Amino acid sequence: MPVITTIDDLRRMHKRRAPKMFYDYAESGSWTEQTFRENTSDFDLIRLRQRVAVDMSNRTTTSQMIGQDVAMPVALAPVGLTGMQCADGEIKAAKAAEKFGVPFTLSTMSICSIEDVAEHTSTPFWFQLYVMQDEEFVDNIIARAKNAGCSALVLTLDLQILGQRHKDLKNGLTAPPKLTIPTMINLATKWRWGLGMLQTKRRSFGNIVGHAKGVGDTSSLSSWTAEQFDLQLDWAKIAKLKEKWGGKLILKGILDVEDAKKAVEIGADAIIVSNHGGRQLDGALSAIRMLPSIVAAVGDKIEVHMDSGIRSGQDVLKALALGAKGTYIGRAFIYGLGAMGEEGVTKALEVIHKELDITMALCGRRDVQTLDRDVLLVPKNFEGEWA
Ligand code: GLV
């Protein structure tokens, strides 16, 4: 067993163990990948203030997200095709999150279904919804999430059309993979992954197949998003969905102050400042760069969370210090899952927790809930001047 000390160690193992098409799916941004790259490189621009001779004992990373106790304010983000990185991936990730004490968010585009995950866990998880044109399907999936006891609906607003990720098209991404010659050659080297897949029945989009009507090719993410997603989603429809759901609502994909204000107006419980990990509008600013202005505009009216670019506990600390009440990791836990299944997700959470805890101590703080801009050195023009 190699000594794993960073999220990047897990990424390298994930790359070796998972089929190329699924590793590439996770590791892609759209078009030039500028936003994907800047999501991480902008975190590096922020530095930390070293403080000394302060009591570092009795530290705590516990907090709340939407009123729910969390061992640290780091939830697992919804990630499509998680069950293709490793057999039964969503169940394994949800179990790791449950044991660690952080929220797990199941994607609409998951391989394991809502019911599958509910059956294998006992803590309520969150369900992420993509709004489709087929209202019956949407009503049905909301009812399924309610029946499964999901404690929040995470409505994604930044993916009504799929941003183009070149590698997915070149690799012919499907779930399950279509057995073309290049895919078979690649799969031949992924015996551990293949053995797991042979032992599970969960190999297609579990929330969709058998539930959605009129989808031409259910194995192709790009074709069914193009056929099914509701291009006319607007704030009036979001308000209706809020009513239908009737529980905690988190709006994901807010990157603009005006949209954040709209989220407050409709009475959402939280927003996630996010550019979908750089997978949608390439050329948008990084989420960490947009966070301070959104917090300044609505931070006292709604809970502000953020994702996109977090690869370490230090990144988590920076986001919290800039005003986020909660954060999400997507790729960081997917690397762990692709590397070592449930154990790998736990490892990713442990790595991030340790980095967060020790960084907090070295910044002279003991409680994650008291982190503020004072622990940071932020470049004067960090948010930039954009006309
Ligand atoms: C889906 O959420 C994706 O980004 O592919």
Side-chain angles (χ1 to χ4, degrees):
M1 162 75 87
V3 180
I4 291 157
T5 57
T6 67
I7 294 298
D8 204 53
D9 291 338
L10 293 168
R11 184 191 61 74
R12 278 182 272 113
M13 264 173 100
H14 173 206
K15 187 172 186 184
R16 280 199 304 277
R17 292 190 173 179
K20 179 176 175 352
M21 74 166 66
F22 301 122
Y23 174 80
D24 282 353
Y25 168 72
E27 202 48 19
S28 291
S30 53
W31 291 298
T32 70
E33 300 191 329
Q34 178 186 36
T35 300
F36 169 60
R37 287 189 301 276
E38 289 182 357
N39 276 339
T40 49
S41 61
D42 281 352
F43 268 109
D44 296 339
L45 299 176
I46 302 171
R47 304 296 172 84
L48 303 165
R49 274 181 79 193
Q50 172 177 308
R51 301 302 304 276
V52 296
V54 287
D55 183 357
M56 291 181 186
S57 63
N58 298 321
R59 295 184 307 279
T60 176
T61 60
T62 59
S63 187
Q64 289 87 38
M65 288 172 79
I66 56 160
Q68 193 171 310
D69 288 334
V70 291
M72 62 177 171
V74 181
L76 301 196
V79 180
L81 287 92
T82 292
M84 279 289 133
Q85 304 294 358
C86 170
D88 303 330
E90 289 89 359
I91 292 174
K92 289 175 181 160
K95 282 181 158 180
E98 177 171 72
K99 287 180 196 153
F100 205 91
V102 294
F104 172 75
T105 319
L106 183 73
S107 167
T108 297
M109 296 175 178
S110 60
I111 302 298
C112 303
S113 68
I114 302 173
E115 293 78 10
D116 275 339
V117 175
E119 213 175 288
H120 290 86
T121 52
S122 47
T123 313
F125 56 95
W126 298 352
F127 180 67
Q128 174 271 337
L129 179 66
Y130 281 120
V131 184
M132 318 248 173
Q133 294 158 33
D134 179 352
E135 252 188 71
E136 204 182 314
F137 174 83
V138 174
D139 288 353
N140 189 21
I141 205 159
I142 288 180
R144 289 169 63 198
K146 273 191 206 169
N147 286 341
C150 294
S151 55
L153 188 71
V154 178
L155 194 58
T156 299
L157 303 181
D158 59 2
L159 194 151
Q160 295 315 113
I161 300 181
L162 201 64
Q164 181 166 312
R165 300 114 195 213
H166 304 310
K167 282 180 247 165
D168 292 351
L169 297 177
K170 291 183 166 117
N171 289 332
L173 175 75
T174 55
K178 292 207 168 96
L179 294 180
T180 60
I181 288 175
T183 301
M184 285 198 296
I185 292 171
N186 184 250
L187 291 186
T189 63
K190 312 287 178 183
W191 59 270
R192 193 189 306 259
W193 177 90
L195 275 181
M197 282 297 163
L198 284 174
Q199 286 163 26
T200 182
K201 55 184 191 314
R202 304 180 184 96
R203 297 191 209 114
S204 57
F205 292 101
N207 290 326
I208 309 295
V209 177
H211 294 278
K213 287 183 295 230
V215 185
D217 179 359
T218 45
S219 68
S220 161
L221 184 75
S222 55
S223 71
W224 67 258
T225 51
E227 284 164 25
Q228 290 284 309
F229 281 27
D230 185 0
L231 295 177
Q232 295 177 328
L233 179 66
D234 58 14
W235 289 100
K237 286 191 182 178
I238 295 167
K240 273 199 196 139
L241 286 164
K242 179 178 181 297
E243 229 166 88
K244 274 187 191 163
W245 168 248
K248 298 265 177 171
L249 179 70
I250 304 175
L251 297 181
K252 178 172 183 284
I254 303 287
L255 203 66
D256 191 279
V257 166
E258 293 313 311
D259 292 334
K261 288 181 182 163
K262 296 247 170 59
V264 172
E265 266 168 42
I266 73 144
D269 295 279
I271 54 171
I272 310 179
V273 176
S274 167
N275 53 36
H276 214 104
R279 300 163 71 78
Q280 286 298 104
L281 180 63
D282 187 37
L285 288 180
S286 67
I288 192 65
R289 210 180 263 252
M290 292 308 294
L291 179 66
S293 55
I294 295 178
V295 168
V298 301
D300 56 343
K301 299 180 190 80
I302 195 167
E303 206 168 297
V304 179
H305 300 173
M306 81 82 68
D307 75 17
S308 301
I310 293 181
R311 304 286 188 276
S312 73
Q314 293 211 326
D315 295 341
V316 171
L317 178 134
K318 290 172 184 176
L320 298 176
L322 288 179
K325 170 90 176 148
T327 63
Y328 296 73
I329 50 169
R331 294 182 180 92
F333 92 81
I334 289 292
Y335 301 150
L337 181 74
M340 299 192 299
E342 181 182 335
E343 202 190 330
V345 178
T346 302
K347 191 74 200 173
L349 289 166
E350 285 169 355
V351 165
I352 286 189
H353 182 262
K354 192 169 179 188
E355 289 166 343
L356 170 62
D357 178 45
I358 294 178
T359 304
M360 179 172 76
L362 295 175
C363 288
R365 297 296 180 91
R366 296 192 296 182
D367 181 350
V368 96
Q369 295 192 54
T370 67
L371 291 170
D372 54 22
R373 211 175 166 120
D374 245 26
V375 299
L376 303 179
L377 294 167
V378 184
K380 285 221 164 69
N381 63 349
F382 180 62
E383 288 161 64
E385 279 175 31
W386 309 91

